Amino acid sequence: MAKGFWVALATTTLMTGCATTPEDTTPYERYTLANGMEVLIWPNRNSESNNEVRMELVVKAGSEDERPDQAGLAHFVEHMAFEQRDGSGNNPIDAWLYGLGVEHQSHANAYTTFDHTRYYLQFNGTAPERLEKGVKAFAHIASQTHFDAQEVEQEKAVIEAEWRYRENTEKADDILFKANLSEHPWREQLAIGDMEVISHATPQQLSDFYQTHYRPDNAFLVVAGDVDLPTLKQQINDAFSSWSAPESAYQPADDVMVVPQPSILKLTAPDLTGSYVMLEGFSDDWLIDSEDDLYRIEMLGAIFDVLQQRLDRVANQEQMTMDLFAYYGRHISHRHLGSLVLEAVGDTDAMQQALSLLAREWARMAQYGLTQDELDRWRESVLSNERNNLDSAKYLADLAVDSLLYGDLLKGHKQYLEYLEKALPAFTPEQSQALASDVLAFTPRITLVQTPSAATPTDQQLRDWSRWPQKVAVPMGFVGKKEAWTVTKQPGQILSQETLPSGIKVFRLSNGMEVMYSRHKGNADWVDIQFVGLGGLDALGDDEAISARLALSVMAASGLGNLDGEALSHWLNERSITINPYFTYFTRELQLAGPSNQIKSMFRLAHAALAEAQVNEHVLEHHKRSALSYIQRQASGNRDEFDRRVEQAMYHDDTRLRRLTEQDIENVSKQDIESIYHQYFAGAQNYKMYIVGDLEPAELERYLTQYIANISNQSADYHSTVDYPKLQKSERIVGDGVGGEATFITLMYEVDAEDYPWVNLSLLKAEAKQLSSQLTSVIREDQGLTYAISADFIGGSRLNNTVQLRVDFSAAPDEVDDAINAVNQQILVRARQPIDMSEIDAALVKHRNEFDEAVASDGRLMIMATADMFNRSKATLFDASHSVSSYNAEQVHQLYRALMGDQARHVEFILNP
């Protein structure tokens, strides 16, 4: 790519007041210990990071640092860092994690890539003694990891299982990942390594690699969240000061940048049900270490955001059956290599049309840039979103890691917002055109991935379809209606209100609706709203359910009131408001979220969503074509027969859940969708409205009467509903076609809920974690039969007619029966082994702490909205001792005995390569 534009742009930004200037203050502290290890601590307290900490230890060594006879050792060392034993046979890492109430693989894990290995730990509760446990765990990993011969041999089976599961597959994502490295040395240096090397690896080889690369001058520590800076600094110094660096300077691997050349790659992937085609250009100047660099990236964001909006619009107008995307970012192969991408995903038959549309809009943007209207709307949307943004500990840690790894400019939220408010007004349509003509003027590398059976276009066809047209029309600036709908109905009334001991304020409105409001000052600038009505797809007839599955997405794209779909999208973006209407099997729901200063708009929007939805015939036809294309792609996939047998076992042709047919889609009309909306979604229905935010009571009452209490008092009959389908019998369903080396397995165990009325959500949540941990410890760590295994329970609410246990894992094809038997054996162990009440007490304490954290953060709305389903009293809803129910050891035993008993239904889904 030409670099002259960046020089000109830098001069422009200097002239317009956007030049790089020294920062007066920083929200974080960055320093280096005496041993050479860098540390960055970012104290942060808000509703997204309150009482939360994220720790990251990064060692700047990965698979690129391995010799051929070491291929995979960096990743092997990462595995062994968690598999430590002291003189008593105990694992100190596990002990520290247990003390923090976190588990390896959920909130404590690691990964190895080409140029670094990254360990992370996230937990709540930031008392000094808890922070010290996390710091000590990372200090042990960094400087005291050792390699016991027995543990090394045991871990080899786990790594081999991971290789089967993750790396040596024929999935489209893996194929594209390797294709992106087709011209880079890293293609032969994947982190998983060489299984021959792994199988013969010795403790000494692992120790040698560890001692060579795990050194303080080749590592850094990041801590972000609700921390006390002086105390944490002392803890870090105490824990890491004994980690000494060798006298010789560290020699990093050669820094190799390979800019991919224009070419055409044609690949096949058995798991695809259509086609994927990508047009990609590259920039070798992706360093973002100054405000001038940041400015050009922000402008590039404007170009690609608007380009995506244009693609969405033309895809809808021309009823495309391929999804079109435009995006950019850092390429996986080098920190200073940028990737600019246009892609199409979907129906193979629409590939020519899709590529032609991409080329047309690509050329239009390069020739004309952004219109003033597009630029103004983009700027307003970005600033609105950032003004209402709150940074989580994880988000800040990710920024810090990227800065320390790649040299990215690092700004706090306040600094970044100040920068945007200063810089974005300087961005002009003329600048956008100059930038677009520079960055988009590339000859693309074309990558095509299809199913093996698809007809493959020639190289010349791909070039012709993606060639810029000779002439493109000037883009039409979007001209939307500045004023949205107005509510002309007379205000309704609040008939009664009360404040419960939980602090929830309950309003009963004149149209029969009940409203529950919880004031939450932790997020003073944001409001979340949810309408929930019991009776979803289960309350509809078979034909109605088919229409309902299309209805709300069609209406959302069609618009509301006097705003069509495109105008509504702009109206929402300008105000940073989101709206999401949907059916579940058991409910109809409408979610809204936005900044507090838009609360009036949000209430008007809610009124319109329940009174003024529309169905655009053109939009409906586009959605129907897309649905038909998806159905056809599914039917052509390698695993179609297996998927149909799975659906039959689980759903028994229930139109609410099964795959829709072409005839189902063809039969849906505009009138059908309008009928679904007016009969089941519009009006007050049986909705309950839940609001969480920091609103003044008078303001809330005014908007409730003006926009909610006057919604029409109409409702369908929800007394007759259909039960969720149960598994009908025990069976094994086997299929082929996933590709790769691993067999993927799902085991289901199901009993009728009415026989076990004492089963509650607390028991199921705790046992899902306990059983997952036990299965991982025995079947992954001890037996090496799988790489990843998880257990989950479904049930515990008054809507569930069954209690179901689901276990998902993978195994070698010749070890499937052994792995299934091992899972069943561990469930029986859980059913029979003595359970100390201290274990249950600890699980309850943990669950109640998690509940308290959810109440204090962004989980409050969900707790309110599901209170009825889980029979929780609203009067004591936020009291964990009331809302998180107790259970005992006998109930645990009885649950597992029932799931393994003769009356249970057992289904095994087995998908072979």
Side-chain angles (χ1 to χ4, degrees):
M1 177 193 294
K3 296 185 181 179
F5 176 77
W6 300 129
V7 177
L9 177 60
T11 303
T12 303
T13 58
L14 287 169
M15 294 173 61
T16 55
C18 296
T20 303
T21 56
E23 297 182 355
D24 298 326
T25 60
T26 56
Y28 54 84
E29 182 162 341
R30 178 177 176 179
Y31 61 98
T32 303
L33 297 179
N35 61 9
M37 186 180 82
E38 279 195 280
V39 179
L40 192 151
I41 303 174
W42 200 327
N44 183 58
R45 172 177 289 187
N46 58 42
S47 63
E48 289 295 316
S49 197
N50 187 35
N51 205 32
E52 175 191 51
V53 172
R54 177 84 173 194
M55 292 185 176
E56 305 258 3
L57 172 69
V58 178
V59 179
K60 291 182 279 187
S63 58
E64 71 169 354
D65 298 282
E66 300 164 344
R67 302 188 307 266
D69 63 338
Q70 295 177 318
L73 294 194
H75 176 243
F76 204 149
V77 167
E78 172 230 304
H79 272 242
M80 293 305 301
F82 289 100
E83 301 303 325
Q84 299 294 291
R85 292 290 182 269
D86 59 21
S88 303
N90 298 316
N91 187 330
I93 304 296
D94 282 351
W96 281 311
L97 297 182
Y98 181 80
L100 290 171
V102 302
E103 299 173 355
H104 179 207
Q105 296 187 20
S106 54
H107 294 92
N109 214 332
Y111 69 80
T112 302
T113 185
F114 301 103
D115 59 353
H116 68 273
T117 302
R118 182 172 177 177
Y119 300 87
Y120 63 85
L121 172 61
Q122 185 154 337
F123 58 92
N124 294 86
T126 58
E129 61 272 16
R130 290 178 62 77
L131 291 173
E132 187 175 29
K133 287 183 175 69
V135 171
K136 284 184 174 180
F138 274 2
H140 189 288
I141 288 172
S143 63
Q144 300 175 52
T145 294
H146 59 275
F147 303 91
D148 175 79
Q150 181 178 344
E151 294 290 337
V152 167
E153 288 304 310
Q154 193 166 287
E155 199 64 23
K156 289 178 181 179
V158 176
I159 294 174
E160 184 181 352
E162 180 177 357
W163 170 78
R164 285 194 304 266
Y165 174 77
R166 177 170 291 170
E167 300 294 341
N168 190 26
T169 71
E170 298 174 26
K171 291 187 176 180
D173 288 346
D174 299 295
I175 290 169
L176 282 169
F177 180 80
K178 293 169 185 174
N180 271 318
L181 297 170
S182 59
E183 301 167 52
H184 197 282
W186 281 358
R187 181 177 174 82
E188 305 303 325
Q189 293 178 292
L190 299 180
I192 195 67
D194 184 333
M195 287 304 104
E196 185 69 17
V197 172
I198 297 302
S199 66
H200 292 94
T202 66
Q204 187 60 53
Q205 287 176 309
L206 291 166
S207 181
D208 289 346
F209 187 91
Y210 177 78
Q211 294 299 331
T212 300
H213 299 287
Y214 279 60
R215 41 190 287 169
D217 56 348
N218 193 43
F220 60 82
L221 179 71
V222 168
V223 183
D226 192 359
V227 300
D228 177 71
L229 184 60
T231 301
L232 179 59
K233 288 180 68 175
Q234 186 61 53
Q235 290 173 337
I236 292 171
N237 185 68
D238 292 345
F240 283 91
S241 60
S242 61
W243 188 20
S244 58
E247 292 183 5
S248 59
Y250 181 74
Q251 297 297 321
D254 292 337
D255 188 16
V256 178
M257 180 192 287
V258 177
V259 181
Q261 297 303 304
S263 59
I264 294 178
L265 300 176
K266 295 177 183 177
L267 308 166
T268 59
D271 68 313
L272 273 184
T273 56
S275 291
Y276 170 97
V277 61
M278 176 170 67
L279 311 177
E280 187 173 17
F282 303 94
S283 163
D284 59 0
D285 187 23
W286 207 259
L287 181 63
I288 313 170
D289 64 351
S290 70
E291 286 193 353
D292 287 329
D293 294 329
L294 184 59
Y295 185 67
R296 78 177 187 235
I297 292 297
E298 295 296 343
M299 289 199 304
L300 198 60
I303 287 169
F304 274 82
D305 286 350
V306 172
L307 182 55
Q308 182 64 61
Q309 293 169 12
R310 292 182 184 177
L311 291 175
D312 291 341
R313 184 161 62 246
V314 298
N316 181 57
Q317 290 170 348
E318 304 199 22
Q319 298 190 8
M320 281 295 306
T321 55
M322 293 192 89
D323 295 321
L324 308 180
F325 302 99
Y327 57 90
Y328 66 99
R330 180 177 277 119
H331 194 265
I332 60 173
S333 68
H334 197 278
R335 61 188 180 277
H336 296 161
L337 181 63
S339 176
L340 312 168
V341 178
L342 298 165
E343 70 180 25
V345 183
D347 185 4
T348 301
D349 293 338
M351 189 188 307
Q352 179 178 356
Q353 181 190 14
L355 286 176
S356 298
L357 284 178
L358 285 175
R360 187 184 75 197
E361 295 307 318
W362 175 18
R364 196 195 313 274
M365 181 63 77
Q367 186 169 345
Y368 298 107
L370 307 178
T371 68
Q372 185 67 57
D373 185 71
E374 287 173 327
L375 181 56
D376 289 344
R377 290 174 181 277
W378 173 84
R379 182 188 298 116
E380 190 171 348
S381 176
V382 169
L383 289 174
S384 178
N385 282 326
E386 193 59 35
R387 287 169 185 143
N388 294 288
N389 183 45
L390 291 173
D391 297 330
S392 68
K394 179 183 182 305
Y395 177 74
L396 297 178
D398 286 341
L399 291 179
V401 168
D402 283 351
S403 179
L404 292 171
L405 271 177
Y406 306 127
D408 288 353
L409 187 67
L410 192 58
K411 287 180 176 288
H413 174 258
K414 181 179 179 182
Q415 297 166 302
Y416 182 54
L417 178 58
E418 290 173 349
Y419 165 76
L420 291 180
E421 289 178 329
K422 176 183 67 173
L424 295 193
F427 188 22
T428 66
E430 291 74 23
Q431 285 183 334
S432 80
Q433 190 279 324
L435 175 58
S437 65
D438 183 73
V439 300
L440 297 179
F442 57 82
T443 301
R445 185 175 74 162
I446 303 174
T447 302
L448 172 66
V449 187
Q450 296 178 289
T451 59
S453 60
T456 304
T458 66
D459 289 3
Q460 190 59 49
Q461 283 176 317
L462 289 173
R463 291 192 188 96
D464 290 343
W465 296 345
S466 56
R467 183 173 288 118
W468 283 10
Q470 298 247 334
K471 187 176 182 181
V472 290
V474 176
M476 293 295 293
F478 174 79
V479 181
K481 302 177 179 69
K482 292 294 184 182
E483 292 300 323
W485 48 85
T486 56
V487 177
T488 57
K489 293 187 68 173
Q490 289 297 311
Q493 294 180 316
I494 297 173
L495 300 182
S496 67
Q497 57 180 284
E498 62 174 323
T499 302
L500 304 177
S502 60
I504 294 174
K505 199 171 186 68
V506 181
F507 301 88
R508 293 175 178 83
L509 308 183
S510 53
N511 59 359
M513 197 179 294
E514 183 177 88
V515 179
M516 278 147 281
Y517 167 62
S518 176
R519 191 163 195 172
H520 186 28
K521 295 185 178 181
N523 194 355
D525 298 323
W526 198 256
V527 177
D528 290 291
I529 299 172
Q530 187 163 354
F531 294 80
V532 180
L534 290 181
L537 296 175
D538 62 339
L540 308 184
D542 287 349
D543 291 340
E544 289 178 322
I546 293 170
S547 299
R549 290 172 65 178
L550 285 179
L552 298 184
S553 61
V554 170
M555 287 188 289
S558 296
L560 288 172
N562 64 328
L563 298 188
D564 63 21
E566 186 178 358
L568 176 61
S569 177
H570 281 280
W571 188 91
L572 294 170
N573 288 335
E574 287 173 352
R575 293 158 178 78
S576 298
I577 296 173
T578 61
I579 180 170
N580 183 24
Y582 56 92
F583 278 94
T584 72
Y585 195 87
F586 300 113
T587 62
R588 292 149 291 110
E589 304 191 22
L590 176 66
Q591 293 178 332
L592 303 96
S596 298
N597 61 9
Q598 293 294 333
I599 186 62
K600 181 178 180 180
S601 294
M602 291 171 66
F603 272 73
R604 287 166 54 208
L605 177 64
H607 182 103
L610 297 177
E612 300 181 43
Q614 54 185 277
V615 180
N616 180 288
E617 193 81 54
H618 187 84
V619 171
L620 172 60
E621 288 306 310
H622 174 61
H623 277 67
K624 288 173 68 171
R625 285 192 61 186
S626 296
L628 288 169
S629 173
Y630 177 72
I631 290 169
Q632 291 159 1
R633 295 198 306 272
Q634 273 188 309
S636 66
N638 286 3
R639 49 181 287 178
D640 178 61
E641 181 184 355
F642 175 76
D643 289 341
R644 290 183 185 278
R645 292 168 63 199
V646 170
E647 290 176 11
Q648 181 60 34
M650 295 181 64
Y651 307 140
H652 326 308
D653 291 323
D654 188 329
T655 58
R656 297 155 191 82
L657 298 166
R658 66 157 170 81
R659 184 187 320 191
L660 296 179
T661 67
E662 294 184 27
Q663 192 62 53
D664 290 334
I665 300 298
E666 293 288 1
N667 288 342
V668 175
S669 68
K670 177 182 178 181
Q671 291 71 29
D672 293 332
I673 290 182
E674 289 173 338
S675 175
I676 291 294
Y677 172 73
H678 290 295
Q679 185 172 353
Y680 296 105
F681 207 84
Q685 298 284 340
N686 61 348
Y687 291 123
K688 292 185 178 181
M689 182 183 184
Y690 304 91
I691 308 170
V692 173
D694 187 15
L695 305 176
E696 292 300 324
E699 180 184 36
L700 175 61
E701 292 174 22
R702 181 169 67 254
Y703 293 145
L704 284 176
T705 57
Q706 288 180 349
Y707 302 117
I708 306 302
N710 57 356
I711 293 173
S712 298
N713 183 7
Q714 65 182 64
S715 179
D717 181 2
Y718 297 103
H719 292 96
S720 177
T721 57
V722 177
D723 286 341
Y724 194 91
K726 300 177 181 180
L727 299 175
Q728 291 186 335
K729 61 182 179 180
S730 295
E731 58 182 318
R732 170 179 282 198
I733 296 176
V734 181
D736 301 313
V738 72
E741 299 292 326
T743 293
F744 291 88
I745 305 156
T746 295
L747 306 179
M748 289 185 175
Y749 310 77
E750 185 178 88
V751 293
D752 293 337
E754 62 184 4
D755 297 331
Y756 306 94
W758 42 265
V759 169
N760 59 56
L761 184 64
S762 305
L763 185 158
L764 298 183
K765 282 178 67 73
E767 282 307 307
K769 292 181 179 179
Q770 179 62 38
L771 184 59
S772 291
S773 178
Q774 183 172 315
L775 293 173
T776 297
S777 176
V778 175
I779 298 175
R780 171 191 151 111
E781 302 297 342
D782 295 345
Q783 300 177 5
L785 289 171
T786 187
Y787 166 65
I789 185 166
S790 64
D792 194 21
F793 282 93
I794 301 169
S797 87
R798 67 187 184 91
L799 302 178
N800 296 114
N801 60 345
T802 64
V803 178
Q804 186 182 94
L805 166 62
R806 172 173 173 154
V807 182
D808 294 289
F809 58 103
S810 64
D814 60 351
E815 294 179 339
V816 168
D817 288 334
D818 290 341
I820 291 174
N821 290 336
V823 170
N824 287 330
Q825 183 60 38
Q826 289 308 306
I827 295 174
L828 288 172
V829 168
R830 193 66 186 153
R832 296 166 180 167
Q833 71 180 3
I835 298 177
D836 195 308
M837 274 306 296
S838 63
E839 175 192 313
I840 292 177
D841 291 341
L844 279 172
V845 168
K846 184 175 182 180
H847 189 181
R848 285 171 177 162
N849 287 339
E850 291 172 350
F851 184 88
D852 287 337
E853 291 159 9
V855 169
S857 58
D858 58 0
R860 183 177 297 223
L861 183 73
M862 179 62 70
I863 291 170
M864 292 171 61
T866 58
D868 289 339
M869 301 176 197
F870 292 107
N871 298 311
R872 289 169 171 163
S873 168
K874 294 183 179 63
T876 56
L877 184 59
F878 299 139
D879 183 343
S881 64
H882 286 86
S883 289
V884 178
S885 305
S886 300
Y887 61 95
N888 58 50
E890 177 52 34
Q891 289 174 328
V892 174
H893 284 146
Q894 189 175 346
L895 172 64
Y896 284 113
R897 287 197 297 267
L899 290 169
M900 295 301 291
D902 294 338
Q903 299 304 309
R905 299 172 290 277
H906 299 163
V907 177
E908 301 171 353
F909 300 118
I910 301 170
L911 184 57
N912 290 310

